Amino acid sequence: MAERLESVRVGIGDAARLAARPIEDITTIVVTKFHPVSLIEELFTLGVRDVGENRHQEAQAKAVELARLGLTWHFVGQIQSKKARQVRTYASVIHSVDRPALVAALASDDAAVDCFIQVNLTDDPARGGVAPGELLPLVDTVQSAPGLRLLGLMAVAPLNAGEPTSEPRRAFARVRELSVGMRKLAPEATALSMGMSQDYVAAVLEGATHLRIGTAITGKRPEHS
Ligand SMILES: *Cc1c(COP(=O)(O)O)cnc(C)c1O
């Protein structure tokens, strides 16, 4: 795993140089879903401090067990409104805010939690994320909710057969454009959570500030139901 991590770090460095962007502007989150806590402990010894999970029960159990490491937990999966308050208890950053009901469930008088609004770049509502046309009203809703600090936008590039590079790049460019439009309402919300194992170079070239990388670092995920 050390070698895979190093080669991704080199790849991100190269992409940042190509884009003339400071590497410090890019946070790499290692997505550890389905992997055991032992893998996260190994990542910790390799210097990883930001980890991502996409299922509440699994994330919570790992965060509790590994509390002593002081990791930053990023929640990147879809959230049921009734689980929202629990996700707040361990997640430092929530990448998947996508509807007013979830904002209401996450709102709190406690210390603010960082969050991204996820935009859906497909026509399939099951993929999660707000439709681009509904983005601005949702930005308003997040801005007026207590206990949420909006960092920016999150997106997953649509799956596409073939073409490994140009399609994600176009999708990420679209997210960047949406982000520019959104800043009239939320000038501080400049971050972009986009880029995974297969497309992080394209994401860096389009301005990603938060990469969510799983298999390229962890190896194949264990079988799951
Ligand atoms: C699993 C997952 C990732 C990481 O995917 P890889 O292809 O393994 O890098 C990133 N973002 C989200 C939302 C995920 O669910």
Side-chain angles (χ1 to χ4, degrees):
M1 189 157 66
E3 279 170 27
R4 285 193 300 266
L5 179 62
E6 183 53 26
S7 89
V8 169
R9 280 178 173 151
V10 169
I12 294 167
D14 288 348
R17 215 166 303 119
L18 198 58
R21 297 185 53 205
I23 193 77
E24 302 77 37
D25 288 359
I26 301 169
T27 300
T28 301
I29 300 152
V30 183
V31 179
T32 50
K33 62 192 183 200
F34 306 123
H35 286 287
V37 292
S38 57
L39 177 133
I40 303 175
E41 289 171 314
E42 188 184 345
L43 286 168
F44 181 83
T45 66
L46 297 171
V48 170
R49 296 295 178 265
D50 289 270
V51 293
E53 290 282 336
N54 74 337
R55 297 189 304 179
H56 163 60
Q57 275 190 320
E58 179 182 345
Q60 183 177 48
K62 288 174 172 174
V64 167
E65 189 170 344
L66 295 174
R68 68 194 140 79
L69 299 183
L71 292 164
T72 298
W73 294 87
H74 296 254
F75 197 86
V76 304
Q78 293 184 39
I79 306 180
Q80 292 175 270
S81 296
K82 64 180 182 197
K83 303 286 192 222
R85 299 200 67 80
Q86 290 186 57
V87 173
R88 268 193 75 110
T89 63
Y90 58 84
S92 299
V93 190
I94 298 173
H95 290 243
S96 44
V97 173
D98 64 357
R99 58 195 191 278
L102 180 57
V103 175
L106 285 168
S108 167
D109 293 329
D110 296 342
V113 65
D114 288 337
C115 68
F116 288 87
I117 290 179
Q118 181 179 356
V119 283
N120 187 346
L121 301 174
T122 75
D123 296 327
D124 177 6
R127 299 284 305 275
V130 65
E134 290 160 32
L135 174 60
L136 294 183
L138 187 60
V139 170
D140 258 338
T141 305
V142 173
Q143 295 275 83
S144 52
L148 291 176
R149 184 188 311 111
L150 184 59
L151 297 186
L153 292 182
M154 180 275 223
V156 176
L159 295 173
N160 60 296
E163 257 196 309
T165 50
S166 67
E167 285 300 327
R169 180 129 190 210
R170 207 174 310 152
F172 295 144
R174 175 131 189 259
V175 180
R176 187 166 44 71
E177 283 159 22
L178 289 169
S179 163
V180 170
M182 180 180 109
R183 283 183 219 167
K184 294 182 193 102
L185 296 178
E188 320 270 87
T190 56
L192 294 172
S193 169
M194 58 190 196
M196 308 179 10
S197 292
Q198 301 305 318
D199 54 25
Y200 69 83
V201 172
V204 169
L205 295 178
E206 292 299 337
T209 59
H210 293 67
L211 306 172
R212 308 178 314 271
I213 301 183
T215 49
I217 294 172
T218 63
K220 206 164 157 281
R221 284 185 273 275
E223 293 298 318
H224 58 90
S225 51

